[in-house]
């Protein structure tokens, strides 16, 4: 069976490791294709097909061939579109980008088309590269990510008794319940306390269209509350630690 050739697929490099002396195994998160792993043969020697294009976090135009979906793709050539240079040189941005990378790798399957998630990931790298506060970017990414993977936390009512959340009041977020727990029900649940400001911010971000997300600002305290409370939920959903995220909080 002849390999099918795919030209010009935009993708973000999530992983790149050596394979033998000359090749590299590369994992991309691609528009309209999802996560794709392929082998770049001769990547260490080629100065034309892969020059500066196989760096972690880079946005590239990917040209590849693949016989069947269950076979490793052959990376024929990549064209660098954006190296996100600030992300690579700023420690905080690099840590946040690494957390996004770990989340995407844990939440996606090979070649499962998830364009909303791809666009959100691309937004995250652009926001970090532009110098937006790293904790804010990661918090915004995580809140929107839940909807992309089908596990949007419920912040409108108590998941124990169903009582509507009272605006501006504090409440507990329970990873196991997937939402807020009121003061009357918290004795039978385990979770992390969120202030009214943090709950209000998260609820607003859930409704915010992606193109307007860059305009959103969060205080450091609110960002840390959200990241600390949502981390156990992400670990619960993905069944894995997000090491780079833990380092930030």
């Amino acid at each position: 069976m002849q390999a099918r050739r795919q030209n010009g697929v935009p993708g973000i490099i999530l992983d790149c490791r050596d394979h033998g002396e000359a090749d590299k195994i590369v994992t991309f998160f691609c528009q309209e294709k999802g996560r794709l792993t392929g082998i770049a043969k001769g990547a260490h020697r080629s100065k034309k097909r892969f020059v500066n294009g196989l760096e972690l976090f880079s946005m590239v135009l990917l040209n590849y061939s693949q016989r069947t979906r269950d076979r490793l793709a052959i990376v024929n050539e990549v064209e660098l579109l954006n190296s996100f240079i600030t992300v690579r040189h700023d420690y905080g941005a690099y840590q946040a980008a690494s957390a996004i990378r770990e989340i995407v790798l844990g939440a996606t399957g090979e070649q499962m088309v998830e364009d909303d998630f791809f666009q959100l990931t691309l937004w995250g790298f652009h926001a970090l590269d532009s110098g937006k506060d790293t904790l804010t970017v990661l918090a915004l990414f995580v809140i929107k990510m839940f909807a992309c993977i089908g596990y949007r936390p419920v912040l409108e009512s108590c998941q124990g008794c169903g009582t509507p959340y009272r605006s501006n009041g504090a409440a507990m977020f329970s990873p196991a319940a997937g939402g807020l727990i009121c003061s009357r029900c918290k004795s039978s649940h385990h979770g992390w306390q969120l202030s009214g400001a943090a709950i209000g911010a998260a609820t607003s971000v859930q409704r915010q269209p992606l193109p307007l997300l860059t305009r959103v600002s969060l205080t450091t305290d609110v960002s840390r509350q959200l990241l600390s409370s949502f981390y156990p939920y992400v670990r619960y959903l993905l069944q894995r630690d997000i090491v780079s995220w833990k380092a930030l909080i």
Side-chain angles (χ1 to χ4, degrees):
M1 183 185 294
Q2 186 175 5
R4 290 174 293 176
R5 192 178 183 91
Q6 300 287 341
N7 295 312
V9 180
I12 302 166
I13 295 178
L14 298 179
D15 196 33
C16 187
R17 61 187 186 275
D18 292 340
H19 181 72
E21 294 184 359
D23 308 335
K24 287 181 178 290
I25 300 292
V26 190
T27 299
F28 303 87
F29 191 33
C30 300
Q31 185 174 6
E32 298 180 355
K33 298 293 179 181
R35 199 179 77 198
L36 176 75
T37 301
I39 183 167
K41 292 184 175 293
H44 285 292
R45 294 192 298 262
S46 176
K47 297 191 179 195
K48 180 180 180 182
R49 294 183 298 137
F50 306 117
V51 59
N52 299 322
L54 295 180
E55 299 289 336
L56 197 63
F57 306 139
S58 291
M59 175 74 173
V60 300
L61 205 57
L62 167 65
N63 178 301
Y64 73 96
S65 303
Q66 191 174 32
R67 290 186 181 276
T68 58
R69 287 171 61 91
D70 60 344
R71 297 281 294 273
L72 196 66
I74 304 297
V75 181
N76 301 311
E77 186 177 11
V78 298
E79 176 187 343
L80 182 64
L81 299 178
N82 195 328
S83 64
F84 296 117
I85 194 71
T86 300
V87 172
R88 256 195 285 279
H89 288 89
D90 180 89
Y91 177 75
Y94 186 89
Q95 285 292 99
S98 297
I100 291 173
R101 166 191 173 271
E102 289 186 67
I103 292 169
V104 174
L105 286 172
T108 57
E110 197 74 5
Q111 297 193 57
M112 293 174 60
V113 179
E114 301 179 80
D115 273 359
D116 287 346
F117 202 1
F118 172 81
Q119 294 299 334
L120 175 62
T121 303
L122 185 58
W123 171 87
F125 284 114
H126 275 298
L128 290 170
D129 195 56
S130 71
K132 190 172 177 65
D133 177 71
T134 55
L135 292 181
T136 295
V137 173
L138 184 55
L140 297 177
F141 172 86
V142 167
I143 293 167
K144 300 297 284 186
M145 176 272 298
F146 289 131
C148 291
I149 66 174
Y151 288 95
R152 178 185 179 273
V154 180
L155 304 177
E156 295 80 21
S157 61
C158 173
Q159 294 306 283
C161 64
T163 301
Y165 168 69
R166 183 166 49 85
S167 181
N168 299 323
M172 185 175 75
F173 178 78
S174 167
L180 296 182
I181 299 294
C182 71
S183 57
R184 289 179 299 178
C185 298
K186 68 179 183 180
S187 61
S188 57
H189 291 80
H190 178 68
W192 283 258
Q193 193 76 357
L194 284 174
S195 67
I199 296 169
T203 303
S204 175
V205 170
Q206 286 180 332
R207 298 192 296 259
Q208 196 75 241
L210 186 59
L212 302 181
L213 207 57
T214 306
R215 302 179 187 179
V216 178
S217 295
L218 302 176
T219 66
T220 300
D221 179 61
V222 164
S223 294
R224 288 194 179 278
Q225 282 188 59
L226 293 172
L227 290 173
S228 296
S229 298
F230 289 150
Y231 177 78
Y233 187 45
V234 172
R235 185 174 58 187
Y236 174 78
L237 295 176
L238 303 186
Q239 294 295 295
R240 63 189 292 176
D241 282 327
I242 308 298
V243 178
S244 303
W245 184 345
K246 288 175 71 176
L248 282 168
I249 58 176

